[in-house]
Amino acid sequence: MSLLRSGVRFTSTHVVSSVRMFSSSASRSKQRLVIIGSGWGGYEVLRGIDKKRWGIRAHTQSGEDVTIISPTNTFNFTPLLASCAVGTLEFRCAIEPVRRYSPQVAAYQAWCDAIGESHSTLFSPSTCDSQADSIHQIDFQMPATPPLPSEESSVPLVEGSTTETQFPGTGTLFTLRYDKLVIAVGAYSQTFGVPGVKEYAHFLKDVRDARAIRTRILECFEQANQPVLSDIQRRNLLNFCILDSLLNARRWFSGGGPTGVEFSAELHDLLHAEVARYYPSLARLARITLYDVAPNILGNFDRSLAAWAEEKFRRDGINIKTRHHVERVEKVKPLLIILYNSRGSAVPFGLLVWSTGLAPNPLIQSIHDIEKHERSQSLLTDDNLNVITKDGQIDPDVWAIGDAAIIKTAVLPATAQVANQKAKYVVKKLNKIVKDQPHTKPFEFHNQGSLAYLGDWKAIYDRSTAETGIKTKESGRLAWLLWRSAYFTMTLSVRNKILVPMYWFLNWIFGRDLTRF
């Protein structure tokens, strides 16, 4: 069942009295492109498309138009989130605004929760005959902004929905029509159904998570500094637990996702610099514990590099506990939250950062007419990144990229690096399509290597398994220079190319800011 010429329905944050339709005034030559998601895949498509051809012409009826739909109006540069979470960088260094491309691009902030087929039909002027096309609707059942006074309960909740929002059951639906669709919705944090994780753990997927973690770290020290607490209570508050896993993939350079490792390193730098200076008695009580379900951390790196990283962490006093599973997380007292692991131990903590994998986006779960990967439930695509329907047909007008999709013939790691390269491939294809030029070259992934920061201006870099180019691996200060230069180079805007090195320099001169507001 093809998704071509669909209706896309979203939750609007504008005042409207009924569902709004944007599907009746197009000529055959007008192509509508809709991008769902503003992550490494969706935002790169938005950046790269030919704005002179794929752009809204406000005063003409000819030409093409493009719309991007996302629950946030920013792109998160995920490799820098760990630095933002401890104050090494400020939060704006890790985000790019989606509306930078307005008004050439229409941008709507909305949640997408399901794709459903309506029972009505649509007779489009773009069809040459009177054949009716079935309408597929992507329902944005939950708004991404606060509801208006007239929208207190206008949209019912989707039964069994896992969409996280502060404004459930509100918002007004509207429908968009498309001719070309790029699905780049990403994935959610995987909790594996462990009780208490959603309530008491922190994730590290976007800048809001980084802000919450930074606030909690400072809160732990301020609470522990109160004179009414015992040393045992202070130790409990200043126990920082990080759960990492090879399943996590929200990184640029790594298939195994060293998010937890890098956050542990950044937190170690904070504890041994600013915290040791301003909270000297508390710094001695603070502990960092890194848990992993695998036998070793950084399992996708060269084994010698991973062993070097483990030895460095042990010298730095970071506890590494491998082959550990979390059974549940409970709040026992107002200042006591306990993690229970698979070995029967009860571990009190002040902060728990959960970085253990990716769960399917509810939108992807709701799609039933496209083939999915048996294990991850990601959409399956061909080597041109077009989705494959259940009957084995290729839909030439729908692409799926990023964490939401897997190439059927070549399963690649769900990393930012893969998503970005897929997006650049789709950009080339769309820019060829808009010029009526053929583009049949299949997608090829080029591994650029793996990087991980380990603290104290040291890192590891692994390119020993690259198929092309120089095969090398580095550790220590040289790898740290490669780490910083790589992410500085990849910052997307001139503003952040100035801000990122500026904050690195300010942090080196004045230290991190420990204010909490």
Side-chain angles (χ1 to χ4, degrees), residues 162-183:
T162 58
T163 300
E164 298 174 4
T165 177
Q166 292 177 301
F167 316 108
T170 59
T172 303
L173 297 178
F174 65 95
T175 300
L176 294 179
R177 173 181 165 77
Y178 68 82
D179 298 290
K180 311 295 182 184
L181 176 65
V182 178
I183 302 174

mmCIF file with all atom_site columns, all heavy atoms in Angstrom, residues 162-183:
data_model
loop_
_atom_site.group_PDB
_atom_site.id
_atom_site.type_symbol
_atom_site.label_atom_id
_atom_site.label_alt_id
_atom_site.label_comp_id
_atom_site.label_asym_id
_atom_site.label_entity_id
_atom_site.label_seq_id
_atom_site.pdbx_PDB_ins_code
_atom_site.Cartn_x
_atom_site.Cartn_y
_atom_site.Cartn_z
_atom_site.occupancy
_atom_site.B_iso_or_equiv
_atom_site.pdbx_formal_charge
_atom_site.auth_seq_id
_atom_site.auth_comp_id
_atom_site.auth_asym_id
_atom_site.auth_atom_id
_atom_site.pdbx_PDB_model_num
ATOM 1   N N   . THR A 1 162 ? 3.024  6.064  23.804 1.00 0.00 ? 162 THR A N   1
ATOM 2   C CA  . THR A 1 162 ? 4.184  6.282  24.666 1.00 0.00 ? 162 THR A CA  1
ATOM 3   C C   . THR A 1 162 ? 4.795  7.655  24.432 1.00 0.00 ? 162 THR A C   1
ATOM 4   O O   . THR A 1 162 ? 5.872  7.940  24.920 1.00 0.00 ? 162 THR A O   1
ATOM 5   C CB  . THR A 1 162 ? 5.253  5.218  24.390 1.00 0.00 ? 162 THR A CB  1
ATOM 6   O OG1 . THR A 1 162 ? 5.633  5.268  23.002 1.00 0.00 ? 162 THR A OG1 1
ATOM 7   C CG2 . THR A 1 162 ? 4.746  3.834  24.721 1.00 0.00 ? 162 THR A CG2 1
ATOM 8   N N   . THR A 1 163 ? 4.111  8.500  23.660 1.00 0.00 ? 163 THR A N   1
ATOM 9   C CA  . THR A 1 163 ? 4.635  9.839  23.410 1.00 0.00 ? 163 THR A CA  1
ATOM 10  C C   . THR A 1 163 ? 4.694  10.627 24.703 1.00 0.00 ? 163 THR A C   1
ATOM 11  O O   . THR A 1 163 ? 3.736  10.685 25.452 1.00 0.00 ? 163 THR A O   1
ATOM 12  C CB  . THR A 1 163 ? 3.752  10.579 22.391 1.00 0.00 ? 163 THR A CB  1
ATOM 13  O OG1 . THR A 1 163 ? 3.747  9.850  21.172 1.00 0.00 ? 163 THR A OG1 1
ATOM 14  C CG2 . THR A 1 163 ? 4.283  11.979 22.135 1.00 0.00 ? 163 THR A CG2 1
ATOM 15  N N   . GLU A 1 164 ? 5.853  11.229 24.960 1.00 0.00 ? 164 GLU A N   1
ATOM 16  C CA  . GLU A 1 164 ? 6.036  11.997 26.177 1.00 0.00 ? 164 GLU A CA  1
ATOM 17  C C   . GLU A 1 164 ? 5.747  13.465 25.886 1.00 0.00 ? 164 GLU A C   1
ATOM 18  O O   . GLU A 1 164 ? 6.357  14.064 25.012 1.00 0.00 ? 164 GLU A O   1
ATOM 19  C CB  . GLU A 1 164 ? 7.467  11.832 26.685 1.00 0.00 ? 164 GLU A CB  1
ATOM 20  C CG  . GLU A 1 164 ? 7.805  10.388 27.033 1.00 0.00 ? 164 GLU A CG  1
ATOM 21  C CD  . GLU A 1 164 ? 9.268  10.214 27.395 1.00 0.00 ? 164 GLU A CD  1
ATOM 22  O OE1 . GLU A 1 164 ? 9.968  11.237 27.446 1.00 0.00 ? 164 GLU A OE1 1
ATOM 23  O OE2 . GLU A 1 164 ? 9.680  9.081  27.616 1.00 0.00 ? 164 GLU A OE2 1
ATOM 24  N N   . THR A 1 165 ? 4.796  14.059 26.586 1.00 0.00 ? 165 THR A N   1
ATOM 25  C CA  . THR A 1 165 ? 4.447  15.451 26.389 1.00 0.00 ? 165 THR A CA  1
ATOM 26  C C   . THR A 1 165 ? 3.929  16.032 27.685 1.00 0.00 ? 165 THR A C   1
ATOM 27  O O   . THR A 1 165 ? 3.388  15.316 28.526 1.00 0.00 ? 165 THR A O   1
ATOM 28  C CB  . THR A 1 165 ? 3.392  15.621 25.280 1.00 0.00 ? 165 THR A CB  1
ATOM 29  O OG1 . THR A 1 165 ? 3.038  17.005 25.178 1.00 0.00 ? 165 THR A OG1 1
ATOM 30  C CG2 . THR A 1 165 ? 2.145  14.824 25.580 1.00 0.00 ? 165 THR A CG2 1
ATOM 31  N N   . GLN A 1 166 ? 4.093  17.326 27.846 1.00 0.00 ? 166 GLN A N   1
ATOM 32  C CA  . GLN A 1 166 ? 3.573  18.001 29.021 1.00 0.00 ? 166 GLN A CA  1
ATOM 33  C C   . GLN A 1 166 ? 2.120  18.404 28.838 1.00 0.00 ? 166 GLN A C   1
ATOM 34  O O   . GLN A 1 166 ? 1.484  18.846 29.778 1.00 0.00 ? 166 GLN A O   1
ATOM 35  C CB  . GLN A 1 166 ? 4.405  19.263 29.296 1.00 0.00 ? 166 GLN A CB  1
ATOM 36  C CG  . GLN A 1 166 ? 5.830  18.978 29.727 1.00 0.00 ? 166 GLN A CG  1
ATOM 37  C CD  . GLN A 1 166 ? 6.593  20.280 29.914 1.00 0.00 ? 166 GLN A CD  1
ATOM 38  O OE1 . GLN A 1 166 ? 6.731  21.083 29.012 1.00 0.00 ? 166 GLN A OE1 1
ATOM 39  N NE2 . GLN A 1 166 ? 7.077  20.481 31.119 1.00 0.00 ? 166 GLN A NE2 1
ATOM 40  N N   . PHE A 1 167 ? 1.594  18.246 27.633 1.00 0.00 ? 167 PHE A N   1
ATOM 41  C CA  . PHE A 1 167 ? 0.252  18.747 27.324 1.00 0.00 ? 167 PHE A CA  1
ATOM 42  C C   . PHE A 1 167 ? -0.596 17.649 26.677 1.00 0.00 ? 167 PHE A C   1
ATOM 43  O O   . PHE A 1 167 ? -0.976 17.748 25.521 1.00 0.00 ? 167 PHE A O   1
ATOM 44  C CB  . PHE A 1 167 ? 0.342  19.958 26.389 1.00 0.00 ? 167 PHE A CB  1
ATOM 45  C CG  . PHE A 1 167 ? 1.408  20.932 26.788 1.00 0.00 ? 167 PHE A CG  1
ATOM 46  C CD1 . PHE A 1 167 ? 2.567  21.048 26.053 1.00 0.00 ? 167 PHE A CD1 1
ATOM 47  C CD2 . PHE A 1 167 ? 1.261  21.711 27.927 1.00 0.00 ? 167 PHE A CD2 1
ATOM 48  C CE1 . PHE A 1 167 ? 3.556  21.936 26.419 1.00 0.00 ? 167 PHE A CE1 1
ATOM 49  C CE2 . PHE A 1 167 ? 2.249  22.597 28.310 1.00 0.00 ? 167 PHE A CE2 1
ATOM 50  C CZ  . PHE A 1 167 ? 3.394  22.714 27.555 1.00 0.00 ? 167 PHE A CZ  1
ATOM 51  N N   . PRO A 1 168 ? -0.893 16.562 27.384 1.00 0.00 ? 168 PRO A N   1
ATOM 52  C CA  . PRO A 1 168 ? -1.637 15.463 26.776 1.00 0.00 ? 168 PRO A CA  1
ATOM 53  C C   . PRO A 1 168 ? -3.095 15.828 26.514 1.00 0.00 ? 168 PRO A C   1
ATOM 54  O O   . PRO A 1 168 ? -3.718 16.579 27.250 1.00 0.00 ? 168 PRO A O   1
ATOM 55  C CB  . PRO A 1 168 ? -1.529 14.347 27.833 1.00 0.00 ? 168 PRO A CB  1
ATOM 56  C CG  . PRO A 1 168 ? -1.375 15.080 29.120 1.00 0.00 ? 168 PRO A CG  1
ATOM 57  C CD  . PRO A 1 168 ? -0.566 16.298 28.798 1.00 0.00 ? 168 PRO A CD  1
ATOM 58  N N   . GLY A 1 169 ? -3.609 15.281 25.415 1.00 0.00 ? 169 GLY A N   1
ATOM 59  C CA  . GLY A 1 169 ? -5.030 15.406 25.144 1.00 0.00 ? 169 GLY A CA  1
ATOM 60  C C   . GLY A 1 169 ? -5.478 16.780 24.731 1.00 0.00 ? 169 GLY A C   1
ATOM 61  O O   . GLY A 1 169 ? -6.643 17.124 24.896 1.00 0.00 ? 169 GLY A O   1
ATOM 62  N N   . THR A 1 170 ? -4.598 17.601 24.177 1.00 0.00 ? 170 THR A N   1
ATOM 63  C CA  . THR A 1 170 ? -4.988 18.937 23.747 1.00 0.00 ? 170 THR A CA  1
ATOM 64  C C   . THR A 1 170 ? -4.421 19.211 22.365 1.00 0.00 ? 170 THR A C   1
ATOM 65  O O   . THR A 1 170 ? -3.531 18.513 21.887 1.00 0.00 ? 170 THR A O   1
ATOM 66  C CB  . THR A 1 170 ? -4.465 20.012 24.714 1.00 0.00 ? 170 THR A CB  1
ATOM 67  O OG1 . THR A 1 170 ? -3.036 19.920 24.775 1.00 0.00 ? 170 THR A OG1 1
ATOM 68  C CG2 . THR A 1 170 ? -5.035 19.831 26.107 1.00 0.00 ? 170 THR A CG2 1
ATOM 69  N N   . GLY A 1 171 ? -4.928 20.247 21.725 1.00 0.00 ? 171 GLY A N   1
ATOM 70  C CA  . GLY A 1 171 ? -4.435 20.604 20.406 1.00 0.00 ? 171 GLY A CA  1
ATOM 71  C C   . GLY A 1 171 ? -5.479 20.392 19.337 1.00 0.00 ? 171 GLY A C   1
ATOM 72  O O   . GLY A 1 171 ? -6.455 19.668 19.521 1.00 0.00 ? 171 GLY A O   1
ATOM 73  N N   . THR A 1 172 ? -5.282 21.019 18.187 1.00 0.00 ? 172 THR A N   1
ATOM 74  C CA  . THR A 1 172 ? -6.224 20.926 17.083 1.00 0.00 ? 172 THR A CA  1
ATOM 75  C C   . THR A 1 172 ? -5.545 20.275 15.887 1.00 0.00 ? 172 THR A C   1
ATOM 76  O O   . THR A 1 172 ? -4.451 20.672 15.497 1.00 0.00 ? 172 THR A O   1
ATOM 77  C CB  . THR A 1 172 ? -6.714 22.328 16.677 1.00 0.00 ? 172 THR A CB  1
ATOM 78  O OG1 . THR A 1 172 ? -7.301 22.948 17.816 1.00 0.00 ? 172 THR A OG1 1
ATOM 79  C CG2 . THR A 1 172 ? -7.737 22.229 15.563 1.00 0.00 ? 172 THR A CG2 1
ATOM 80  N N   . LEU A 1 173 ? -6.167 19.266 15.312 1.00 0.00 ? 173 LEU A N   1
ATOM 81  C CA  . LEU A 1 173 ? -5.600 18.551 14.184 1.00 0.00 ? 173 LEU A CA  1
ATOM 82  C C   . LEU A 1 173 ? -5.661 19.402 12.917 1.00 0.00 ? 173 LEU A C   1
ATOM 83  O O   . LEU A 1 173 ? -6.593 20.167 12.700 1.00 0.00 ? 173 LEU A O   1
ATOM 84  C CB  . LEU A 1 173 ? -6.352 17.249 13.947 1.00 0.00 ? 173 LEU A CB  1
ATOM 85  C CG  . LEU A 1 173 ? -6.313 16.212 15.063 1.00 0.00 ? 173 LEU A CG  1
ATOM 86  C CD1 . LEU A 1 173 ? -7.147 15.012 14.668 1.00 0.00 ? 173 LEU A CD1 1
ATOM 87  C CD2 . LEU A 1 173 ? -4.895 15.785 15.344 1.00 0.00 ? 173 LEU A CD2 1
ATOM 88  N N   . PHE A 1 174 ? -4.658 19.228 12.072 1.00 0.00 ? 174 PHE A N   1
ATOM 89  C CA  . PHE A 1 174 ? -4.729 19.785 10.725 1.00 0.00 ? 174 PHE A CA  1
ATOM 90  C C   . PHE A 1 174 ? -4.041 18.811 9.779  1.00 0.00 ? 174 PHE A C   1
ATOM 91  O O   . PHE A 1 174 ? -3.276 17.955 10.212 1.00 0.00 ? 174 PHE A O   1
ATOM 92  C CB  . PHE A 1 174 ? -4.110 21.190 10.646 1.00 0.00 ? 174 PHE A CB  1
ATOM 93  C CG  . PHE A 1 174 ? -2.634 21.248 10.912 1.00 0.00 ? 174 PHE A CG  1
ATOM 94  C CD1 . PHE A 1 174 ? -1.721 21.229 9.871  1.00 0.00 ? 174 PHE A CD1 1
ATOM 95  C CD2 . PHE A 1 174 ? -2.152 21.345 12.206 1.00 0.00 ? 174 PHE A CD2 1
ATOM 96  C CE1 . PHE A 1 174 ? -0.367 21.309 10.103 1.00 0.00 ? 174 PHE A CE1 1
ATOM 97  C CE2 . PHE A 1 174 ? -0.802 21.415 12.454 1.00 0.00 ? 174 PHE A CE2 1
ATOM 98  C CZ  . PHE A 1 174 ? 0.102  21.399 11.405 1.00 0.00 ? 174 PHE A CZ  1
ATOM 99  N N   . THR A 1 175 ? -4.345 18.913 8.522  1.00 0.00 ? 175 THR A N   1
ATOM 100 C CA  . THR A 1 175 ? -3.875 17.955 7.529  1.00 0.00 ? 175 THR A CA  1
ATOM 101 C C   . THR A 1 175 ? -3.012 18.635 6.483  1.00 0.00 ? 175 THR A C   1
ATOM 102 O O   . THR A 1 175 ? -3.366 19.695 5.977  1.00 0.00 ? 175 THR A O   1
ATOM 103 C CB  . THR A 1 175 ? -5.059 17.264 6.833  1.00 0.00 ? 175 THR A CB  1
ATOM 104 O OG1 . THR A 1 175 ? -5.831 16.586 7.826  1.00 0.00 ? 175 THR A OG1 1
ATOM 105 C CG2 . THR A 1 175 ? -4.583 16.257 5.801  1.00 0.00 ? 175 THR A CG2 1
ATOM 106 N N   . LEU A 1 176 ? -1.894 18.020 6.171  1.00 0.00 ? 176 LEU A N   1
ATOM 107 C CA  . LEU A 1 176 ? -1.033 18.469 5.083  1.00 0.00 ? 176 LEU A CA  1
ATOM 108 C C   . LEU A 1 176 ? -0.982 17.386 4.012  1.00 0.00 ? 176 LEU A C   1
ATOM 109 O O   . LEU A 1 176 ? -0.930 16.205 4.336  1.00 0.00 ? 176 LEU A O   1
ATOM 110 C CB  . LEU A 1 176 ? 0.385  18.751 5.581  1.00 0.00 ? 176 LEU A CB  1
ATOM 111 C CG  . LEU A 1 176 ? 0.582  19.908 6.552  1.00 0.00 ? 176 LEU A CG  1
ATOM 112 C CD1 . LEU A 1 176 ? 2.053  19.994 6.932  1.00 0.00 ? 176 LEU A CD1 1
ATOM 113 C CD2 . LEU A 1 176 ? 0.128  21.210 5.934  1.00 0.00 ? 176 LEU A CD2 1
ATOM 114 N N   . ARG A 1 177 ? -0.955 17.806 2.764  1.00 0.00 ? 177 ARG A N   1
ATOM 115 C CA  . ARG A 1 177 ? -0.822 16.875 1.655  1.00 0.00 ? 177 ARG A CA  1
ATOM 116 C C   . ARG A 1 177 ? 0.625  16.888 1.180  1.00 0.00 ? 177 ARG A C   1
ATOM 117 O O   . ARG A 1 177 ? 1.290  17.910 1.223  1.00 0.00 ? 177 ARG A O   1
ATOM 118 C CB  . ARG A 1 177 ? -1.728 17.307 0.511  1.00 0.00 ? 177 ARG A CB  1
ATOM 119 C CG  . ARG A 1 177 ? -1.553 16.518 -0.772 1.00 0.00 ? 177 ARG A CG  1
ATOM 120 C CD  . ARG A 1 177 ? -2.479 17.052 -1.854 1.00 0.00 ? 177 ARG A CD  1
ATOM 121 N NE  . ARG A 1 177 ? -2.083 16.562 -3.149 1.00 0.00 ? 177 ARG A NE  1
ATOM 122 C CZ  . ARG A 1 177 ? -2.333 15.337 -3.593 1.00 0.00 ? 177 ARG A CZ  1
ATOM 123 N NH1 . ARG A 1 177 ? -2.997 14.493 -2.830 1.00 0.00 ? 177 ARG A NH1 1
ATOM 124 N NH2 . ARG A 1 177 ? -1.939 14.953 -4.799 1.00 0.00 ? 177 ARG A NH2 1
ATOM 125 N N   . TYR A 1 178 ? 1.126  15.729 0.781  1.00 0.00 ? 178 TYR A N   1
ATOM 126 C CA  . TYR A 1 178 ? 2.488  15.673 0.271  1.00 0.00 ? 178 TYR A CA  1
ATOM 127 C C   . TYR A 1 178 ? 2.567  14.814 -0.982 1.00 0.00 ? 178 TYR A C   1
ATOM 128 O O   . TYR A 1 178 ? 1.734  13.945 -1.226 1.00 0.00 ? 178 TYR A O   1
ATOM 129 C CB  . TYR A 1 178 ? 3.453  15.138 1.327  1.00 0.00 ? 178 TYR A CB  1
ATOM 130 C CG  . TYR A 1 178 ? 3.237  13.672 1.668  1.00 0.00 ? 178 TYR A CG  1
ATOM 131 C CD1 . TYR A 1 178 ? 3.756  12.662 0.878  1.00 0.00 ? 178 TYR A CD1 1
ATOM 132 C CD2 . TYR A 1 178 ? 2.519  13.297 2.807  1.00 0.00 ? 178 TYR A CD2 1
ATOM 133 C CE1 . TYR A 1 178 ? 3.557  11.328 1.180  1.00 0.00 ? 178 TYR A CE1 1
ATOM 134 C CE2 . TYR A 1 178 ? 2.325  11.970 3.129  1.00 0.00 ? 178 TYR A CE2 1
ATOM 135 C CZ  . TYR A 1 178 ? 2.848  10.992 2.313  1.00 0.00 ? 178 TYR A CZ  1
ATOM 136 O OH  . TYR A 1 178 ? 2.635  9.672  2.623  1.00 0.00 ? 178 TYR A OH  1
ATOM 137 N N   . ASP A 1 179 ? 3.607  15.081 -1.765 1.00 0.00 ? 179 ASP A N   1
ATOM 138 C CA  . ASP A 1 179 ? 3.960  14.240 -2.898 1.00 0.00 ? 179 ASP A CA  1
ATOM 139 C C   . ASP A 1 179 ? 5.240  13.459 -2.630 1.00 0.00 ? 179 ASP A C   1
ATOM 140 O O   . ASP A 1 179 ? 5.421  12.362 -3.128 1.00 0.00 ? 179 ASP A O   1
ATOM 141 C CB  . ASP A 1 179 ? 4.134  15.102 -4.153 1.00 0.00 ? 179 ASP A CB  1
ATOM 142 C CG  . ASP A 1 179 ? 2.852  15.813 -4.543 1.00 0.00 ? 179 ASP A CG  1
ATOM 143 O OD1 . ASP A 1 179 ? 1.909  15.132 -4.981 1.00 0.00 ? 179 ASP A OD1 1
ATOM 144 O OD2 . ASP A 1 179 ? 2.784  17.046 -4.384 1.00 0.00 ? 179 ASP A OD2 1
ATOM 145 N N   . LYS A 1 180 ? 6.139  14.066 -1.864 1.00 0.00 ? 180 LYS A N   1
ATOM 146 C CA  . LYS A 1 180 ? 7.366  13.400 -1.429 1.00 0.00 ? 180 LYS A CA  1
ATOM 147 C C   . LYS A 1 180 ? 7.439  13.482 0.092  1.00 0.00 ? 180 LYS A C   1
ATOM 148 O O   . LYS A 1 180 ? 7.153  14.527 0.669  1.00 0.00 ? 180 LYS A O   1
ATOM 149 C CB  . LYS A 1 180 ? 8.607  14.069 -2.034 1.00 0.00 ? 180 LYS A CB  1
ATOM 150 C CG  . LYS A 1 180 ? 8.540  14.303 -3.539 1.00 0.00 ? 180 LYS A CG  1
ATOM 151 C CD  . LYS A 1 180 ? 8.502  13.007 -4.328 1.00 0.00 ? 180 LYS A CD  1
ATOM 152 C CE  . LYS A 1 180 ? 8.478  13.315 -5.834 1.00 0.00 ? 180 LYS A CE  1
ATOM 153 N NZ  . LYS A 1 180 ? 8.340  12.065 -6.632 1.00 0.00 ? 180 LYS A NZ  1
ATOM 154 N N   . LEU A 1 181 ? 7.841  12.397 0.724  1.00 0.00 ? 181 LEU A N   1
ATOM 155 C CA  . LEU A 1 181 ? 7.865  12.339 2.188  1.00 0.00 ? 181 LEU A CA  1
ATOM 156 C C   . LEU A 1 181 ? 9.189  11.765 2.658  1.00 0.00 ? 181 LEU A C   1
ATOM 157 O O   . LEU A 1 181 ? 9.654  10.741 2.154  1.00 0.00 ? 181 LEU A O   1
ATOM 158 C CB  . LEU A 1 181 ? 6.713  11.470 2.701  1.00 0.00 ? 181 LEU A CB  1
ATOM 159 C CG  . LEU A 1 181 ? 6.660  11.222 4.208  1.00 0.00 ? 181 LEU A CG  1
ATOM 160 C CD1 . LEU A 1 181 ? 6.408  12.516 4.968  1.00 0.00 ? 181 LEU A CD1 1
ATOM 161 C CD2 . LEU A 1 181 ? 5.589  10.183 4.560  1.00 0.00 ? 181 LEU A CD2 1
ATOM 162 N N   . VAL A 1 182 ? 9.813  12.439 3.633  1.00 0.00 ? 182 VAL A N   1
ATOM 163 C CA  . VAL A 1 182 ? 11.022 11.937 4.286  1.00 0.00 ? 182 VAL A CA  1
ATOM 164 C C   . VAL A 1 182 ? 10.693 11.682 5.753  1.00 0.00 ? 182 VAL A C   1
ATOM 165 O O   . VAL A 1 182 ? 10.352 12.605 6.493  1.00 0.00 ? 182 VAL A O   1
ATOM 166 C CB  . VAL A 1 182 ? 12.186 12.937 4.173  1.00 0.00 ? 182 VAL A CB  1
ATOM 167 C CG1 . VAL A 1 182 ? 13.414 12.395 4.904  1.00 0.00 ? 182 VAL A CG1 1
ATOM 168 C CG2 . VAL A 1 182 ? 12.525 13.211 2.716  1.00 0.00 ? 182 VAL A CG2 1
ATOM 169 N N   . ILE A 1 183 ? 10.773 10.420 6.166  1.00 0.00 ? 183 ILE A N   1
ATOM 170 C CA  . ILE A 1 183 ? 10.504 10.034 7.553  1.00 0.00 ? 183 ILE A CA  1
ATOM 171 C C   . ILE A 1 183 ? 11.834 9.965  8.289  1.00 0.00 ? 183 ILE A C   1
ATOM 172 O O   . ILE A 1 183 ? 12.673 9.119  7.998  1.00 0.00 ? 183 ILE A O   1
ATOM 173 C CB  . ILE A 1 183 ? 9.778  8.681  7.632  1.00 0.00 ? 183 ILE A CB  1
ATOM 174 C CG1 . ILE A 1 183 ? 8.460  8.725  6.843  1.00 0.00 ? 183 ILE A CG1 1
ATOM 175 C CG2 . ILE A 1 183 ? 9.517  8.292  9.076  1.00 0.00 ? 183 ILE A CG2 1
ATOM 176 C CD1 . ILE A 1 183 ? 7.753  7.381  6.741  1.00 0.00 ? 183 ILE A CD1 1
#
